Amino acid sequence: MRIVMLGAPGSGKGTQAQRIQKEHGLPQISTGDLLRKAVADKTPLGLRAKSVMDAGELVPDDVVLGMIKGRIAARDAKRGFILDGFPRNTSQADSLDTLLATLDLKLDRVVLMDVDFDILMKRLTGRRTCSKTGAVLNIYFSSPAELEACKKAGGELVQRQDDNEDTIRNRLQVYERQTAPLIDYYTKKGLLKTVAATGEVDAVYSRLKSALGLK
Ligand code: AP5
């Protein structure tokens, strides 16, 4: 199954994609994670991307496409994958279509994670990632036990560089301007399903599985 997760920053794409990966073995391909790794490793690509990401703007299409091409062709993606954070504009969506066509593949489903904008700021300012386990947590919404588990594993709760109020505001505007048009784009192709992504993580996951026809 080849899935695209669409949704504003903080709508829970990463949280839910990690869970599908864990329970259904479909690899999560997150362009944000791939870019953050390149930044941390100080690769030429990472050095090019860092200031753009810190400002909350989109990294140039050619950079992202270069990363995606190799990743989609990798062995673990043969059975399918979940694209998290890609495509991000109509030009990337067209490029994805072309890329999949050359591999004789097509998308099965695009899921829109639908959350009211006023909730997103709290989710994003409260987000922390466990440095040891990579778990995506939240100081407002995760249980004390979940937060404690990271510390017990020897990790620290790390805040993303772009999760500050000014950058979040810009990321939300960039989403509205450049990514939201993909809702129409994939509706016209008959691929889009909308999932109400507010409420408990477990409840959202159940709705997501129904939308994808997963058990
Ligand atoms: P990226 O990493 O893709 O960030 P994003 O789209 O802004 O999305 P987020 O990761 O912020 O949110 P999410 O929807 O995954 O939410 P999460 O599950 O973490 O991109 C970062 C940057 O990289 C971009 O700004 C751009 O510069 C660049 N980039 C990436 N892809 C690109 C591309 N294709 N083209 C060009 N540039 C690109 O959840 C958020 C928080 O909420 C967490 O704390 C979580 O615990 C909590 N939470 C989740 N669900 C719930 C719930 N149901 N209830 C309560 N809390 C919840």
Short mmCIF file of all heavy atoms in Angstrom, two decimals, residues 3-18 27-34 36 64 68 81-88 113 127 136 160:
data_model
loop_
_atom_site.label_atom_id
_atom_site.label_comp_id
_atom_site.label_asym_id
_atom_site.label_seq_id
_atom_site.Cartn_x
_atom_site.Cartn_y
_atom_site.Cartn_z
N ILE A 3 0.90 5.23 0.51
CA ILE A 3 0.04 6.23 1.16
C ILE A 3 0.76 7.57 1.25
O ILE A 3 1.96 7.61 1.54
CB ILE A 3 -0.28 5.77 2.61
CG1 ILE A 3 -0.91 4.38 2.61
CG2 ILE A 3 -1.15 6.78 3.32
CD1 ILE A 3 -0.88 3.71 3.99
N VAL A 4 0.01 8.65 1.04
CA VAL A 4 0.51 9.99 1.34
C VAL A 4 -0.27 10.53 2.54
O VAL A 4 -1.49 10.47 2.56
CB VAL A 4 0.33 10.95 0.14
CG1 VAL A 4 0.53 12.41 0.57
CG2 VAL A 4 1.31 10.61 -0.98
N MET A 5 0.46 11.03 3.56
CA MET A 5 -0.19 11.70 4.68
C MET A 5 -0.07 13.20 4.44
O MET A 5 1.04 13.74 4.38
CB MET A 5 0.53 11.37 5.99
CG MET A 5 0.61 9.92 6.33
SD MET A 5 -0.75 9.36 7.32
CE MET A 5 -0.36 10.05 8.88
N LEU A 6 -1.23 13.83 4.36
CA LEU A 6 -1.28 15.26 4.10
C LEU A 6 -1.83 15.93 5.36
O LEU A 6 -2.69 15.35 6.04
CB LEU A 6 -2.25 15.46 2.94
CG LEU A 6 -2.27 16.74 2.14
CD1 LEU A 6 -0.92 16.97 1.50
CD2 LEU A 6 -3.34 16.63 1.04
N GLY A 7 -1.36 17.14 5.66
CA GLY A 7 -1.92 17.82 6.83
C GLY A 7 -0.98 18.92 7.29
O GLY A 7 0.22 18.90 7.00
N ALA A 8 -1.55 19.86 8.04
CA ALA A 8 -0.77 21.01 8.51
C ALA A 8 0.33 20.54 9.47
O ALA A 8 0.23 19.44 10.05
CB ALA A 8 -1.71 21.98 9.23
N PRO A 9 1.35 21.38 9.70
CA PRO A 9 2.33 21.08 10.73
C PRO A 9 1.61 20.84 12.06
O PRO A 9 0.73 21.62 12.44
CB PRO A 9 3.16 22.37 10.81
CG PRO A 9 3.01 23.01 9.48
CD PRO A 9 1.64 22.64 9.00
N GLY A 10 1.94 19.74 12.72
CA GLY A 10 1.33 19.45 14.02
C GLY A 10 0.03 18.67 13.94
O GLY A 10 -0.58 18.38 14.97
N SER A 11 -0.37 18.29 12.75
CA SER A 11 -1.66 17.58 12.62
C SER A 11 -1.54 16.11 13.03
O SER A 11 -2.54 15.41 13.08
CB SER A 11 -2.21 17.71 11.20
OG SER A 11 -1.28 17.20 10.27
N GLY A 12 -0.30 15.65 13.27
CA GLY A 12 -0.11 14.28 13.77
C GLY A 12 0.33 13.30 12.69
O GLY A 12 0.26 12.08 12.90
N LYS A 13 0.83 13.80 11.58
CA LYS A 13 1.27 12.92 10.48
C LYS A 13 2.36 11.97 10.98
O LYS A 13 2.29 10.76 10.78
CB LYS A 13 1.82 13.74 9.30
CG LYS A 13 0.86 14.76 8.74
CD LYS A 13 1.47 15.52 7.57
CE LYS A 13 2.67 16.37 7.90
NZ LYS A 13 2.39 17.53 8.78
N GLY A 14 3.38 12.54 11.61
CA GLY A 14 4.51 11.72 12.07
C GLY A 14 4.09 10.72 13.14
O GLY A 14 4.47 9.54 13.08
N THR A 15 3.30 11.18 14.10
CA THR A 15 2.85 10.30 15.20
C THR A 15 2.11 9.09 14.64
O THR A 15 2.37 7.95 15.01
CB THR A 15 1.89 11.11 16.13
OG1 THR A 15 2.60 12.24 16.63
CG2 THR A 15 1.38 10.25 17.28
N GLN A 16 1.19 9.33 13.73
CA GLN A 16 0.36 8.24 13.20
C GLN A 16 1.14 7.38 12.21
O GLN A 16 0.96 6.15 12.18
CB GLN A 16 -0.91 8.82 12.55
CG GLN A 16 -1.79 9.62 13.50
CD GLN A 16 -2.43 8.77 14.60
OE1 GLN A 16 -2.54 7.55 14.48
NE2 GLN A 16 -2.86 9.40 15.69
N ALA A 17 2.02 8.00 11.43
CA ALA A 17 2.81 7.22 10.47
C ALA A 17 3.74 6.25 11.22
O ALA A 17 3.92 5.10 10.81
CB ALA A 17 3.62 8.14 9.56
N GLN A 18 4.31 6.72 12.34
CA GLN A 18 5.19 5.83 13.14
C GLN A 18 4.40 4.62 13.63
O GLN A 18 4.91 3.51 13.68
CB GLN A 18 5.73 6.59 14.37
CG GLN A 18 6.94 7.44 14.07
CD GLN A 18 7.62 7.97 15.33
OE1 GLN A 18 7.18 7.72 16.46
NE2 GLN A 18 8.71 8.70 15.15
N PRO A 27 7.14 1.25 5.80
CA PRO A 27 8.10 2.26 6.24
C PRO A 27 7.56 3.68 6.12
O PRO A 27 6.91 4.02 5.13
CB PRO A 27 9.30 2.05 5.33
CG PRO A 27 8.80 1.32 4.15
CD PRO A 27 7.61 0.52 4.60
N GLN A 28 7.82 4.47 7.17
CA GLN A 28 7.47 5.89 7.14
C GLN A 28 8.61 6.62 6.44
O GLN A 28 9.77 6.50 6.86
CB GLN A 28 7.35 6.42 8.58
CG GLN A 28 7.24 7.93 8.70
CD GLN A 28 7.65 8.45 10.08
OE1 GLN A 28 8.34 7.75 10.82
NE2 GLN A 28 7.25 9.64 10.41
N ILE A 29 8.28 7.34 5.40
CA ILE A 29 9.32 8.14 4.70
C ILE A 29 9.00 9.61 4.96
O ILE A 29 8.07 10.17 4.38
CB ILE A 29 9.34 7.82 3.19
CG1 ILE A 29 9.62 6.33 2.98
CG2 ILE A 29 10.38 8.69 2.49
CD1 ILE A 29 9.64 5.88 1.52
N SER A 30 9.75 10.20 5.88
CA SER A 30 9.49 11.59 6.27
C SER A 30 10.59 12.47 5.70
O SER A 30 11.76 12.34 6.06
CB SER A 30 9.47 11.69 7.80
OG SER A 30 9.76 13.00 8.21
N THR A 31 10.21 13.39 4.80
CA THR A 31 11.23 14.28 4.23
C THR A 31 11.80 15.19 5.32
O THR A 31 12.98 15.53 5.29
CB THR A 31 10.66 15.12 3.06
OG1 THR A 31 9.33 15.52 3.37
CG2 THR A 31 10.68 14.34 1.77
N GLY A 32 10.96 15.56 6.31
CA GLY A 32 11.46 16.39 7.41
C GLY A 32 12.55 15.66 8.18
O GLY A 32 13.61 16.23 8.45
N ASP A 33 12.32 14.37 8.50
CA ASP A 33 13.34 13.59 9.23
C ASP A 33 14.61 13.42 8.40
O ASP A 33 15.73 13.53 8.92
CB ASP A 33 12.79 12.19 9.59
CG ASP A 33 11.77 12.23 10.72
OD1 ASP A 33 11.62 13.30 11.35
OD2 ASP A 33 11.09 11.21 10.95
N LEU A 34 14.43 13.14 7.10
CA LEU A 34 15.62 12.97 6.24
C LEU A 34 16.43 14.27 6.19
O LEU A 34 17.66 14.26 6.25
CB LEU A 34 15.19 12.56 4.82
CG LEU A 34 14.56 11.16 4.67
CD1 LEU A 34 13.98 10.96 3.27
CD2 LEU A 34 15.59 10.06 4.96
N ARG A 36 16.39 16.71 8.51
CA ARG A 36 17.01 16.99 9.82
C ARG A 36 18.27 16.14 10.02
O ARG A 36 19.24 16.58 10.61
CB ARG A 36 16.01 16.76 10.96
CG ARG A 36 15.11 17.97 11.21
CD ARG A 36 14.18 17.78 12.38
NE ARG A 36 13.14 16.81 12.10
CZ ARG A 36 12.03 17.05 11.40
NH1 ARG A 36 11.81 18.25 10.92
NH2 ARG A 36 11.14 16.11 11.17
N VAL A 64 14.59 17.93 -2.33
CA VAL A 64 13.69 16.94 -1.71
C VAL A 64 13.48 15.76 -2.65
O VAL A 64 13.49 14.60 -2.23
CB VAL A 64 12.34 17.63 -1.38
CG1 VAL A 64 11.42 16.65 -0.71
CG2 VAL A 64 12.57 18.81 -0.48
N ILE A 68 13.94 11.66 -2.09
CA ILE A 68 12.79 10.76 -2.20
C ILE A 68 13.04 9.65 -3.22
O ILE A 68 12.68 8.49 -2.99
CB ILE A 68 11.54 11.59 -2.60
CG1 ILE A 68 10.98 12.29 -1.37
CG2 ILE A 68 10.48 10.75 -3.25
CD1 ILE A 68 10.27 11.36 -0.40
N PHE A 81 4.73 2.11 1.26
CA PHE A 81 5.35 3.11 2.14
C PHE A 81 4.32 4.16 2.52
O PHE A 81 3.23 4.24 1.93
CB PHE A 81 6.54 3.78 1.44
CG PHE A 81 6.24 4.23 0.03
CD1 PHE A 81 5.48 5.36 -0.20
CD2 PHE A 81 6.71 3.50 -1.06
CE1 PHE A 81 5.19 5.77 -1.49
CE2 PHE A 81 6.41 3.90 -2.35
CZ PHE A 81 5.65 5.04 -2.57
N ILE A 82 4.68 4.94 3.53
CA ILE A 82 3.86 6.09 3.93
C ILE A 82 4.70 7.34 3.74
O ILE A 82 5.74 7.51 4.40
CB ILE A 82 3.49 6.02 5.43
CG1 ILE A 82 2.96 4.64 5.79
CG2 ILE A 82 2.49 7.11 5.78
CD1 ILE A 82 3.12 4.34 7.26
N LEU A 83 4.28 8.20 2.85
CA LEU A 83 5.00 9.46 2.66
C LEU A 83 4.46 10.48 3.65
O LEU A 83 3.27 10.77 3.67
CB LEU A 83 4.82 9.96 1.22
CG LEU A 83 5.55 9.17 0.14
CD1 LEU A 83 5.18 9.68 -1.23
CD2 LEU A 83 7.07 9.26 0.35
N ASP A 84 5.36 11.01 4.49
CA ASP A 84 4.98 11.95 5.55
C ASP A 84 5.69 13.26 5.28
O ASP A 84 6.90 13.35 5.43
CB ASP A 84 5.38 11.30 6.90
CG ASP A 84 5.48 12.28 8.04
OD1 ASP A 84 5.04 13.43 7.89
OD2 ASP A 84 6.00 11.88 9.10
N GLY A 85 4.92 14.27 4.83
CA GLY A 85 5.54 15.58 4.56
C GLY A 85 5.97 15.76 3.12
O GLY A 85 6.63 16.75 2.79
N PHE A 86 5.62 14.85 2.27
CA PHE A 86 5.91 14.93 0.84
C PHE A 86 4.75 14.28 0.09
O PHE A 86 4.32 13.20 0.51
CB PHE A 86 7.22 14.21 0.50
CG PHE A 86 7.53 14.23 -0.98
CD1 PHE A 86 8.23 15.27 -1.54
CD2 PHE A 86 7.08 13.19 -1.81
CE1 PHE A 86 8.49 15.29 -2.90
CE2 PHE A 86 7.34 13.22 -3.17
CZ PHE A 86 8.05 14.25 -3.71
N PRO A 87 4.22 14.85 -0.97
CA PRO A 87 4.58 16.14 -1.57
C PRO A 87 4.02 17.32 -0.77
O PRO A 87 3.11 17.17 0.03
CB PRO A 87 3.93 16.07 -2.95
CG PRO A 87 2.77 15.14 -2.79
CD PRO A 87 3.17 14.15 -1.75
N ARG A 88 4.59 18.47 -1.04
CA ARG A 88 4.29 19.68 -0.27
C ARG A 88 3.76 20.80 -1.15
O ARG A 88 3.41 21.85 -0.67
CB ARG A 88 5.62 20.10 0.33
CG ARG A 88 5.65 20.79 1.62
CD ARG A 88 5.41 19.90 2.77
NE ARG A 88 5.87 20.55 3.96
CZ ARG A 88 6.29 19.93 5.04
NH1 ARG A 88 6.30 18.62 5.09
NH2 ARG A 88 6.66 20.61 6.07
N MET A 113 -5.06 14.74 7.36
CA MET A 113 -5.22 14.79 8.82
C MET A 113 -5.77 16.18 9.15
O MET A 113 -5.07 17.19 9.04
CB MET A 113 -3.86 14.58 9.51
CG MET A 113 -3.17 13.27 9.12
SD MET A 113 -4.13 11.83 9.59
CE MET A 113 -3.82 11.83 11.33
N ARG A 127 5.77 20.02 21.56
CA ARG A 127 6.39 18.78 21.04
C ARG A 127 7.83 18.62 21.53
O ARG A 127 8.62 19.56 21.53
CB ARG A 127 6.40 18.78 19.51
CG ARG A 127 7.20 17.58 18.96
CD ARG A 127 6.99 17.35 17.51
NE ARG A 127 7.21 18.54 16.71
CZ ARG A 127 6.85 18.65 15.45
NH1 ARG A 127 6.27 17.67 14.84
NH2 ARG A 127 7.07 19.77 14.79
N VAL A 136 7.99 10.60 19.42
CA VAL A 136 7.49 11.98 19.37
C VAL A 136 6.52 12.16 20.54
O VAL A 136 5.50 11.47 20.62
CB VAL A 136 6.76 12.24 18.03
CG1 VAL A 136 6.26 13.68 17.98
CG2 VAL A 136 7.67 11.95 16.85
N ARG A 160 12.50 20.71 18.73
CA ARG A 160 12.97 21.01 17.38
C ARG A 160 13.24 22.50 17.23
O ARG A 160 12.52 23.33 17.76
CB ARG A 160 11.90 20.57 16.36
CG ARG A 160 12.25 19.27 15.67
CD ARG A 160 11.12 18.71 14.87
NE ARG A 160 10.56 19.61 13.87
CZ ARG A 160 9.63 19.25 12.98
NH1 ARG A 160 9.19 18.00 12.98
NH2 ARG A 160 9.17 20.11 12.10
#
